[in-house]
Amino acid sequence: MSSSLSSPVLDRMDAWWRAANYLSVGQIYLMANPLLREPLSIEQVKPRLLGHWGTTPGLNFLYVHLNRVIVERDLDIIYVTGPGHGGPGLVANTWLEGAYSEFYPEVSQDEQGMRRLFRQFSFPGGIPSHCAPETPGSIHEGGELGYCLAHAFGAAFDNPDLLVACVVGDGEAETGPLAASWHSNKFLNPARDGAVLPVLQLNGWKIANPTLLARMSDEELEHLFRGYGYAPRLVAGDDPRALHPLMAETLDTVLDEIREIQQNARRRGFTARPPWPMIVLRTPKGWTGPKEVDGLPMEGTWRAHQVPLAGLREKPEHLEILESWMRSYRPEEIFDADGRPVAEIVGLAPHGDRRMGANPHANGGLLLRALRVPDFRDYAVEVPEPGAVVGEATRVLGGLLRDVMKRNLEARNFRVFGPDETASNRLGALFEVTDKAFTGPFQAVDEHLSADGRVLEVLSEHLCQGWLEGYLLTGRHGFFSCYEAFIHIVDSMFNQHAKWLKVSHEIPWRRPIASLNYLLTSHVWRQDHNGFSHQDPGFIDHVVNKKADVIRVYLPPDANTLLVVPDECLRSRDRINVIVAGKQPQVQFLDMESAIPHCAAGVGIWEWASNDRGEEPDVVMALRGRRPDARDPGRGVDAPRALPGASSARRERGRPDDATARERAPRWAPGPRLRHDLHQGEAHHLRLSRLPLADPSSDLPAHQPPQPPRARLQGGRNHHDPLRHGGAQRPRSLPPGRGRDRPRAEARPRRRLRQASHTRQADRARRVYPRARRGPAGDPQLALEGGRGRVTGRHGARLSVFERR
């Protein structure tokens, strides 16, 4: 037993753990009767049960032990949890420590607040079943597996006083991104970075199969992780009385080792990569849950992975098992008469920002400092006339990034990430002021490698993205360069980060963070030497499916436009910026004086490349920053189809920013690729540059939003996406005077009709949820006992989505 841990402290920690487990079970099952003041009835149980119990007791166990060392050692710790859908545990613990009620006052620390806490979990208008932006203390979207350890190391870089406790699920450990993430310790410098304490949670099972690591012997696990460069320690068992002191002793030991590693490096300088400690926690799946149900084993098996008692309405006898399970935590000992946690439990929590649910590193916008960015005009390429100069655009950008790095060396809040392609992508100027991070061992032939380097290169796009996300979410800035064809590897990670940003916009206490900036070069049109394998421009299609308030796509056609774009991207907040630019020598078109207004407009007319003299042009070229034919700048590889016309005039349009164009575009004629937008309820064009202009002679208005044609599509709930579900939908025939047959001047009654439809949907919602009412602003609202929500009609959507207010 740890010498610093007395029996009374152990008893109080066990009480916290029982309280967290009780609250976790209540979130999964209950809508009412949170303190079991009366026998459970089926009406008090949620009609649909969602959540993952199996991983939750282990997460709760670690949380209370981390609380102890935070208080005793005054540590700065954030808690990153990888196991999927462990949300009830994190919510329960932040409620016990008081942080949850500070962010959400309606979920107070009493019986009424506990009832709201239970009801909101996986409920309309409530919160997800996994960690998400709504979860205080979280920097990790827990709905998808594989990224927790990369996020943890990204958070630790340049945070010398921070310890990131990262729980890796044994199912998650089977994913490719997580398997690569173990190598992150080769980039962590104890002299200037924080520390990551990985905890591998071995509870044995996935949804229906055993996990691979859990079926390995203790000896195999030790050899595996020693090979990765860790010093593993095993904590195993199922008896809380034995496991509490063992975990406390192990945690004290590994924290002493981390402190010694850091102190040695900071006193003597970095000399060699140390073996960082880690913990392997082997406990039963669904620990402390029902041992057996219907004669089948439950605890310690795959049956405990999600909801152990899923068929309560079909098998009412299971209700007694649920009540007995919850009463086994002795709620009368851990909550007072008003439903508040008793003083013995509350006293275990750290204070203020030391609470893991209130740590500012988990709300990185609180710590964000603006980058010191030089004037991009100082790096301009002289272009006396279009086509007179040849240059490498990304090499010019490298000079700008070099000086961004140099100006922020003291702040240590900017890093560049990439999969072994920084020099290949012509950004080698960075190595004039910094090196590539690596903790050795080193060889004489190595170039630009050091433990203090600020460029992170590893041949895993997953790691680059995960490190960058963790770095940004804890209040810093970064830049990610990659070959265009291979950035698809992180498609899913991009999705998750975009979702995080979208939800964070709606959470007042989430402060804006620096944008995630991609530079995609080695692009599709200059891969003739590598061939078909290196040709894929489709990441843009993936990105522009998101709303323009989250993403921007930039396609600068030359060096000066490429200088303008990153300046805006590095200063932006809460966005994902995708820049696609060539690295090969190519013709330069615009001087800096022309590049700035061209980029500001998002799309522009190149008069020097056009023979349009007020006549109707034959062709409107929309160059999306792709390589034009050197013999004729008008012959862009990515040019749209031609419009029939009587003259031979041609108009050139360069496109540095697709998202800006979506906001400032003229009226577009129907094109070949339409997307039915779920939120806006009308057809939108994905590839604007492939579409002909309805009025080619008109100039672009600086203020007019796009006016895309509307299309009614058949399909349930109006949710059909032809691109997603395969094949186009046949537009439903409309009666005369409706839709496209109606003159534009008569569109107003149609909008009133759509608003009337919103009202009908709100009436339907009130019939389904009788407590629905209208808010003070006249918007349809839904008053739920578990928290307020609203039926949203923004953007003309069908009123079928409940959003947390």
Side-chain angles (χ1 to χ4, degrees), residues 1-19 61 64-65 68 72 239-250 252 330 333-334 344-345 348:
M1 178 183 294
S2 172
S3 60
S4 63
L5 197 60
S6 64
S7 181
V9 174
L10 268 176
D11 292 340
R12 294 169 62 196
M13 292 173 63
D14 187 70
W16 177 296
W17 183 51
R18 287 187 284 115
F61 183 79
V64 65
H65 279 271
R68 177 188 69 84
E72 290 183 359
D239 182 1
R241 292 183 177 274
L243 225 52
H244 277 301
L246 179 57
M247 173 56 78
E249 182 179 8
T250 303
D252 283 336
R330 305 193 296 278
E333 298 178 7
I334 51 183
E344 290 78 5
I345 290 179
L348 289 174

Side-chain angles (χ1 to χ4, degrees), residues 82-103:
H85 299 276
L90 274 294
V91 171
N93 283 284
T94 54
W95 187 83
L96 285 173
E97 71 185 14
Y100 201 92
S101 298
E102 292 175 10
F103 289 114

Side-chain angles (χ1 to χ4, degrees), residues 713-733:
L713 304 178
Q714 291 179 332
R717 292 180 176 267
N718 206 19
H719 286 187
H720 186 82
D721 183 343
L723 299 181
R724 184 177 303 165
H725 299 292
Q729 280 277 11
R730 184 176 64 255
R732 185 170 59 188
S733 58

Side-chain angles (χ1 to χ4, degrees), residues 95 371 434 454 488 510 666:
W95 187 83
L371 276 179
T434 189
R454 306 197 57 75
H488 276 294
R510 282 282 178 190

Side-chain angles (χ1 to χ4, degrees), residues 24-237:
S24 300
V25 178
Q27 290 178 76
I28 294 173
Y29 285 96
L30 298 188
M31 290 169 43
N33 193 15
L35 291 172
L36 302 180
R37 297 189 186 278
E38 59 187 60
L40 272 182
S41 65
I42 198 65
E43 292 77 19
Q44 295 164 350
V45 177
K46 294 178 180 178
R48 185 179 181 191
L49 301 176
L50 296 169
H52 285 54
W53 163 249
T55 188
T56 302
L59 299 180
N60 294 340
F61 183 79
L62 286 163
Y63 203 100
V64 65
H65 279 271
L66 291 171
N67 274 347
R68 177 188 69 84
V69 296
I70 290 172
V71 172
E72 290 183 359
R73 298 169 179 252
D74 190 29
L75 296 180
D76 195 5
I77 297 181
I78 61 174
Y79 193 43
V80 176
T81 58
H85 299 276
L90 274 294
V91 171
N93 283 284
T94 54
W95 187 83
L96 285 173
E97 71 185 14
Y100 201 92
S101 298
E102 292 175 10
F103 289 114
Y104 303 104
E106 69 276 13
V107 188
S108 50
Q109 277 191 304
D110 52 25
E111 182 176 6
Q112 178 68 14
M114 190 188 300
R115 190 177 66 83
R116 288 178 178 270
L117 188 81
F118 289 0
R119 186 175 182 115
Q120 70 178 5
F121 179 79
S122 280
F123 202 77
I127 62 174
S129 64
H130 52 77
C131 291
E134 296 94 333
T135 310
S138 174
I139 64 164
H140 180 70
E141 181 78 61
E144 183 173 346
L145 302 178
Y147 313 133
C148 67
L149 199 53
H151 287 161
F153 276 93
F157 292 139
D158 296 321
N159 258 334
D161 299 323
L162 182 66
L163 173 64
V164 186
C166 180
V167 185
V168 179
D170 52 356
E172 177 180 38
E174 298 176 10
T175 65
L178 198 285
S181 294
W182 294 114
H183 290 294
S184 299
N185 59 355
K186 284 107 177 143
F187 301 85
L188 195 72
N189 183 349
R192 60 102 192 272
D193 296 328
V196 176
L197 176 60
V199 180
L200 175 62
Q201 187 184 23
L202 288 176
N203 53 40
W205 300 90
K206 303 180 287 257
I207 293 177
N209 286 288
T211 60
L212 302 181
L213 293 184
R215 294 297 174 93
M216 293 171 64
S217 67
D218 294 345
E219 183 181 10
E220 284 183 304
L221 287 172
E222 182 179 1
H223 288 319
L224 174 67
F225 290 109
R226 287 197 181 279
Y228 277 133
Y230 295 92
R233 281 176 171 77
L234 180 65
V235 177

